[in-house]
Amino acid sequence: MKERFNVGGMSCAACQANVQKAVEKLGVDEVNVNLINESMSVDYDPSKVSEDDIIKAVYDIGYTAKSKSDKASQTNTDDKSVLKEAEQKSTQTRLKVSFAFLIPLMYIAMGPMVGLPIPGFLDGEIGAVNYAFVQFLLTIPIIFVNRKFFVSGFKGFFKGAFNMDTLVALGASAATAFGIFAIMRMSYAQGVNDYEVLHHYRHNIYFETSAMILTLITLGKYFEARSKGETKSSLKSLMDLAPKKANVLVDGIESEVDVADIKMDDLIIVRPGEAIPVDGIVVEGSSLVDQASITGEPIPVAKNEGDEVISATINTQGTIKFRASRVGEDTTIAQIINLINEANETKAPISRLADKIARIFVPMVILIALATLIGWTLIKGDIEFAINLMIAVLVISCPCALGLATPMAIMVSTGKSAELGLLFKNAESLENLHKVDTILMDKTGTITEGRPEVTDIVTGMDEKEFIRIASSIEQNSEHPLSLSINSFAEKNNISTSNVEDFKSITGKGIRARLNGAIYYAGNILLMKENNIDLKDYDLKANKFSSEGKTSMYFANDREVIGLIAVADKVKTDSKFAIDELKDMGYEVVMVTGDNEVTSEAIKEKLGIDQKFAEVLPQDKDKVVKKLQDEGKKVAMVGDGINDAPALARADIGLAIGNGTDIAIESADVVLIKNSLLDLVASIKLSRETIKIIKQNLFWAFFYNIILIPLAAGLMYPINGLTLNPMFAALAMSLSSVFVCLNSLRLKNFKTGYEEVKFNEEEQIIVENEEEKIMSELNKMLVNVDGMSCNHCAMAVEKALKAVAGIDEVKVDLDGKKADIAYFGSVNEDEIKNAITDAGYEYNGIEYK
């Protein structure tokens, strides 16, 4: 089973590694610890390991753990926010107290060096002990308010679970202990009038070092906490979308209840302006619902009886009553939040190096610090000098930046991806997506709308009778092409008859008995397999295929009786998305069950690099394997049940948001908005996230590689350069803040096409119905010079459509012409002016 825990007390990568190591020792299947969320997910066998065992293992090394499913200890989101706010206020208080005592301490310790006056009882050899003791008194409150570093640090030290607090505690303790030793030596020296010793220790007290270390690290923690709060804001705003209360009908009486108490099949009333609390089906009323927060659709969607409503969307118009179909953790918004949490709790492969280093880093630093102390004491014979360097090593090496490098970037990225309608199921898919080199797309529902419509009917018999037979045969099929034919029959009020012996033949079509006669409906493979006479219908089918349409043959047991062509519109943004992917260097491949001619037409129109046609549904994963065998890293994009095996086999599987549950379950990434542009955005976000992580890791490693040798005094023999422990503390704190701020840059991530608008006219395939309307209108060709790109063509199209009487405009960019359909007559001067005003050159008209 998989259980999630809240973990308290973690402050760095070493803490994260310690918790993970402690739980792994129990023999669990998998552990993922998240430093930013302060959480842990554990996959374990309850018969071997208990929840209490896990909590105890974490507690024994100095941290706290609570199960998120434990009702006795579980806190809701508001309570947790209150606790976090209280913790931040506590950090602020510690910071204020620390600075309140640090400022006078630094004045006393450093003031005389720059000529600032200090009270007489602290000055000179007579006031030397007072000078040291006052510094000690000013340091005590700073140590007290920041005692958590010592409690956590020494607890980890004695348990063998070293962490950042261990280094801070050792460094600050060493400085404080030496200061106390200095007071004792000064007191003795003053008593025996040894003014040389007194003068020496007066300038080597180190209380200010201990106080400065604790204060600067607390300052760093404060800024770090604020950055983490910024990081979590996207997820919090997503969680805030779901309402806390709902109006439920019980025995005809409306009452307000907590959303958590809603049960399946409860009747819920939502009024204008209210958020929909759970997923459900409308049973009464109609309205417009703003689904932008979930699906990204900019225009409110009409909802009537029988339509589905989604949790956390906004009812903008009428009052509706709906029946709850998914509640609690099963609602759409809950699943999105759960996916984001799971992504944050997993680790990107790039972070494993940091984890391995973190496990040995602190013990290594302690050894380096001891070696520094012993080495410089032996070399220079100056214990104070050696202690100063040892403290600098301990403080500079705190692995805060290392621990924040990956999780901070992942957290910001997953929050941003949720805003964009992109859901990465784990950090590994977020990292690996940009590594693919081939994008394999299913055609239907991915490249196209997935709603084919009848465009052409060819038959030698009465057309209505033919449609009646075709629709009767198809009425038991769930295939999209079958649904388009049934929809066509319904629109034209053509009744159907019941059939017998219905049989679906996968990848080929169907067979059924109608009024005692056998009929076949499907592709040419089915016809040939049953020795059906094609009667030249294959020539007509080839013509439709060249136009990007799919033809369905209908036959009795001897010969084809007719042909129905259907076309599935290419989504308005598919061409743009495919061009973007190619510009980014990816090979775009299409897989479809369409025949060679149809698929080739679509391939050419969209500029796709390669196609796999006439692929049976169960063979799509074989296409993925074929590409992988060629050495390619493949991302598969699909939406149907039959895409699930291919999505699972691909290096990265991406499911379109309106796809089936099985497809979404099999995928690594979910594109909520049902657009291929989201595929482009997800790849760009993956690239940018990994770039930020690499920058963070480089800084964390570079910072330590450069400054640890400096702190250890390796430069001292060359140029006398050493690192003051106070500056070491400042540098360590700033490194953490840098990593946090660098990660937050992902909040400003842009896809690059936010302002691009797509019109229906940009769709590739035009239905025959539209062509019929066009044939009834007058037509002309307008020659236009000066166009150089699709944006120019769109501008000309828009300008001409504004002319009175013009109904339709199609711009041929290559031919420098605009094909215009218009009612009655239009004024040639108006056409000329429209083109000229748009910034292009009018070059005459050709009437058809």
Side-chain angles (χ1 to χ4, degrees), residues 30-31 38 76 169 236 246 251 256 263 294 296 303 415 496 515 531 583 602 607 643 661 668 709 736 808:
E30 186 181 12
V31 187
E38 297 175 337
N76 61 31
K236 185 178 184 301
D251 297 327
E256 187 177 71
K263 300 178 181 63
I294 302 297
K303 299 292 182 181
T496 59
N515 297 330
N531 299 315
D583 288 344
I602 296 172
D643 295 325
D661 290 341
D668 302 295
S736 299
E808 190 65 41

Side-chain angles (χ1 to χ4, degrees), residues 348-421:
I350 198 172
S351 70
R352 290 171 191 157
L353 175 63
D355 288 346
K356 288 177 182 177
I357 292 174
R359 291 190 180 194
I360 61 171
F361 186 77
V362 175
M364 282 180 60
V365 167
I366 292 173
L367 291 176
I368 293 171
L370 286 173
T372 301
L373 175 66
I374 296 168
W376 281 109
T377 301
L378 294 174
I379 294 170
K380 203 169 185 290
D382 187 345
I383 184 70
E384 290 92 348
F385 178 79
I387 288 174
N388 195 53
L389 295 184
M390 180 192 73
I391 294 169
V393 170
L394 289 170
V395 175
I396 199 69
S397 306
C398 293
C400 297
L402 187 63
L404 294 169
T406 301
M408 276 292 289
I410 294 292
M411 174 72 85
V412 180
S413 183
T414 51
K416 185 65 181 180
S417 68
E419 289 179 17
L420 296 171

Side-chain angles (χ1 to χ4, degrees), residues 371 516 570 677 701:
V570 171
L677 280 178
F701 287 126

Side-chain angles (χ1 to χ4, degrees), residues 686-746:
S686 172
R687 285 181 171 182
E688 189 65 20
T689 301
I690 297 307
K691 185 174 84 172
I692 293 291
I693 290 175
K694 287 180 177 178
Q695 289 172 352
N696 288 348
L697 288 174
F698 172 79
W699 171 256
F701 287 126
F702 175 80
Y703 154 82
N704 281 300
I705 289 169
I706 295 297
L707 294 184
I708 288 179
L710 178 63
L714 295 186
M715 299 297 293
Y716 182 76
I718 301 171
N719 53 21
L721 189 63
T722 61
L723 184 65
N724 188 294
M726 290 184 288
F727 290 113
L730 179 62
M732 192 278 293
S733 298
L734 290 176
S735 71
S736 299
V737 173
F738 168 81
V739 165
C740 291
L741 295 177
N742 192 46
S743 298
L744 286 171
R745 290 197 299 121
L746 283 166

